Amino acid sequence: MPESYKPDGNWGTVISVRGSVVDARFTERLPPINNLLKVGDRHEIVIEVLMHLNSHTVRGIALTPTRGLALGAAVLDTGHPLQVPVGKQLLGRVFNVFGETIDKKEPITDAEWRSIHQQPVPLNQQSTVSEIFTTGIKAIDVLAPLERGGKAGLFGGAGVGKTVLIMEMIHNMVGQHEGVSLFCGIGERSREGEELYREMQEAGVLDNTIMVFGQMNEPPGARFRVGHAALTMAEYFRDEAHQDVLLLIDNIFRFIQAGSEVSGLMGQLPSRLGYQPTLGTELAELEERICNTASGAITSVQAVYVPADDFTDPAAVHTFGHLSAFIVLSRKRASEGLYPAINTLQSGSKMLVPHIVGDRHYQVAQAIRETLATYEDLKDIIAMLGIEELSQQDRRTVNRARRLERFLTQPFYVTEQFTGHKGRTVSLPEALEGCERILNDEFFDTPERQLYMIGAIDEA
């Protein structure tokens, strides 16, 4: 762009382009860290400043493809960090990391725009009361209760029902907590995002949901910032609208992966197993913004991919440090038709202690675990010798365990059109009462199938 055409603003020139890493030289003012720079005829190439190399040169990472970017190109400092729109008018819409709508509907024009880099709520303003966040799903509320304003991990491979569980939670969030849900796809496949959008539309939960995607084919810079963009939208509902927010992140490992790519491109020396040296800091910057205040709470459920099922991997270790509950989905339960396919013995929660959930809930949960663990141990004997060879005591345990397994299944609202079962939400007292009555052998002679896919125990 010739000098005479340059509009007013802080302009610089590109002096180096290496993949997504761009260096620019500014003679007047040096743009602060995190500022956005724009390059190109239509300002289509967007760069975020990550480093000051000297008093005139900045190094940034491109959030868009850098195709066609040449040395000597004019760079405009926008004077602000990456911003996204916030407000009620975002509900039912799909956004990218720049806050642009990508659902082929009218663009949003009248919203307030905010920087995605916000400080976490100071400790003295966070709520110190540990509250349970009820989901209306029996297996979760009884055995792995979520914390209001806490973070729960959702572990499971492909096809075991992660998305269905997430959609049911969104549905129940609207009904029970009058809150909003925010779905953030980090490094999602485009196919998954598009399927989720259609499924949410069909299930009728889209109108109270905002979706933000940084897709797998986008540059690492965009995938690295999409979580912050979603959190900024969520913080508006917590702080200004005083609503509870359910923030669903799929997948937190992809965020760490994007950070690792950015770090490698910036030339930082890798640490353990090739991860970025700043892994702990970057994850904490994102996770610490998820909390509850006096006015509202952001409760987060995060899908966690565990690389090669190695729970000692730095990505898994750092993520676990932030979680207050973990829900493990099992392919074996899914193959037996026990949905939601939650592995009751591997799932757990830091909330499940007597002084938070109460003595009764704690005792019931422990009794369920014990019964199901004993049944797991007896399965080999039953398979080899038959149930007749068990003692009277063990047979009673097996009877209870099988009925508990059936009772902890539940028909979902979002799968009504596939299963023909009417969806149910079950309150925590109802779920506890049902489990207690099964443990007390009240349903000893009831056929197992009468407890399968029901809501409260009275339906049996």
Side-chain angles (χ1 to χ4, degrees):
M1 186 183 296
E3 289 296 315
S4 54
Y5 290 153
K6 280 190 185 172
D8 291 341
N10 186 19
W11 288 86
T13 37
V14 173
I15 57 171
S16 143
V17 182
R18 294 192 318 284
S20 291
V21 178
V22 180
D23 294 358
R25 185 176 174 77
F26 286 82
T27 44
E28 291 175 30
R29 287 191 314 279
L30 202 62
I33 299 272
N34 290 337
N35 258 26
L36 270 202
L37 313 177
K38 293 196 169 178
V39 198
D41 301 337
R42 297 186 308 282
H43 290 170
E44 69 277 11
I45 298 172
V46 183
I47 298 160
E48 185 178 32
V49 177
L50 288 189
M51 250 185 215
H52 288 164
L53 297 183
N54 56 40
S55 57
H56 286 299
T57 316
V58 295
R59 176 166 289 169
I61 189 95
L63 306 184
T64 53
T66 52
R67 231 185 359 260
L69 181 56
L71 296 188
V75 184
L76 174 65
D77 170 18
T78 59
H80 59 75
L82 185 54
Q83 293 179 325
V84 289
V86 295
K88 294 261 165 88
Q89 57 271 61
L90 275 60
L91 290 169
R93 303 301 301 271
V94 188
F95 297 89
N96 64 10
V97 69
F98 304 109
E100 300 161 350
T101 53
I102 50 172
D103 51 9
K104 298 197 173 100
K105 295 182 190 162
E106 292 295 304
I108 287 181
T109 49
D110 53 345
E112 177 198 343
W113 288 70
R114 278 190 196 170
S115 160
I116 65 165
H117 300 282
Q118 302 285 348
Q119 287 301 315
V121 178
L123 276 176
N124 58 2
Q125 288 171 29
Q126 291 187 19
S127 168
T128 52
V129 184
S130 290
E131 291 177 73
I132 296 294
F133 177 87
T134 51
T135 59
I137 299 168
K138 292 180 283 197
I140 294 177
D141 289 346
V142 173
L143 293 163
L146 307 188
E147 177 184 10
R148 184 172 174 266
K151 298 167 268 282
L154 189 58
F155 301 88
V160 289
K162 282 203 295 278
T163 308
V164 173
L165 197 58
I166 281 174
M167 281 170 26
E168 184 71 5
M169 282 182 184
I170 292 175
H171 177 277
N172 295 354
M173 177 77 188
V174 180
Q176 288 183 288
H177 299 269
E178 291 166 359
V180 295
S181 302
L182 225 138
F183 182 89
C184 171
I186 305 180
E188 285 269 300
R189 297 169 186 84
S190 310
R191 167 185 67 78
E192 293 171 333
E194 194 267 339
E195 277 172 14
L196 185 73
Y197 179 76
R198 269 185 309 154
E199 283 170 11
M200 283 186 169
Q201 220 169 6
E202 284 166 22
V205 296
L206 191 63
D207 295 342
N208 285 288
T209 311
I210 301 169
M211 298 171 86
V212 191
F213 286 108
Q215 287 159 204
M216 215 175 232
N217 58 341
E218 292 181 27
R223 280 177 277 136
F224 186 51
R225 288 296 180 219
V226 71
H228 300 82
L231 258 169
T232 306
M233 296 175 181
E235 283 165 347
Y236 167 86
F237 287 99
R238 178 190 67 194
D239 302 333
E240 320 276 311
H242 304 311
Q243 282 179 296
D244 279 0
V245 185
L246 180 62
L247 174 67
L248 303 140
I249 301 179
D250 189 9
N251 186 310
I252 204 72
F253 175 75
R254 304 254 178 258
F255 166 74
I256 293 170
Q257 215 175 20
S260 169
E261 287 177 51
V262 169
S263 161
L265 289 166
M266 297 299 285
Q268 294 175 350
L269 282 176
S271 71
R272 235 176 98 214
L273 294 185
Y275 283 104
Q276 60 271 45
T278 48
L279 167 63
T281 323
E282 288 168 1
L283 189 62
E285 274 174 3
L286 185 75
E287 299 278 12
E288 290 303 306
R289 285 169 65 180
I290 301 170
C291 61
N292 58 349
T293 62
S295 61
I298 299 177
T299 305
S300 163
V301 177
Q302 308 173 359
V304 184
Y305 166 72
V306 181
D309 287 342
D310 173 15
F311 283 86
T312 63
D313 188 274
V317 170
H318 280 282
T319 308
F320 278 131
H322 293 280
L323 302 178
S324 55
F326 35 99
I327 300 160
V328 181
L329 298 180
S330 110
R331 194 169 298 283
K332 189 164 175 297
R333 281 181 69 86
S335 66
E336 290 168 8
L338 301 172
Y339 286 104
I342 294 169
N343 185 326
T344 40
L345 295 175
Q346 285 184 340
S347 306
S349 166
K350 291 178 184 168
M351 295 283 99
L352 199 56
V353 285
H355 64 270
I356 294 177
V357 296
D359 210 41
R360 175 188 173 215
H361 183 163
Y362 176 74
Q363 298 297 350
V364 170
Q366 292 305 89
I368 293 172
R369 281 240 161 85
E370 202 177 318
T371 307
L372 293 173
T374 310
Y375 175 44
E376 203 59 40
D377 292 343
L378 294 172
K379 274 183 179 170
D380 289 344
I381 301 174
I382 297 169
M384 287 189 289
L385 303 173
I387 199 161
E388 293 75 27
E389 296 302 313
L390 297 181
S391 67
Q392 196 64 38
Q393 177 70 32
D394 283 347
R395 257 190 263 180
R396 291 190 93 79
T397 305
V398 170
N399 178 294
R400 267 180 232 140
R402 288 185 64 85
R403 278 155 182 70
L404 279 171
E405 278 189 340
R406 303 295 181 280
F407 179 61
L408 289 174
T409 60
Q410 190 168 337
F412 282 175
Y413 287 96
V414 294
T415 55
E416 274 178 19
Q417 70 261 45
F418 308 117
T419 60
H421 291 290
K422 185 120 178 58
R424 307 270 195 288
T425 43
V426 183
S427 70
L428 184 57
E430 286 176 329
L432 287 174
E433 184 206 351
C435 292
E436 258 180 344
R437 287 174 63 182
I438 292 172
L439 288 165
N440 294 337
D441 284 341
E442 278 188 43
F443 292 86
F444 189 79
D445 297 322
T446 312
E448 286 171 11
R449 64 172 179 279
Q450 288 192 12
L451 294 166
Y452 177 67
M453 283 293 171
I454 60 169
I457 196 79
D458 300 335
E459 295 179 34

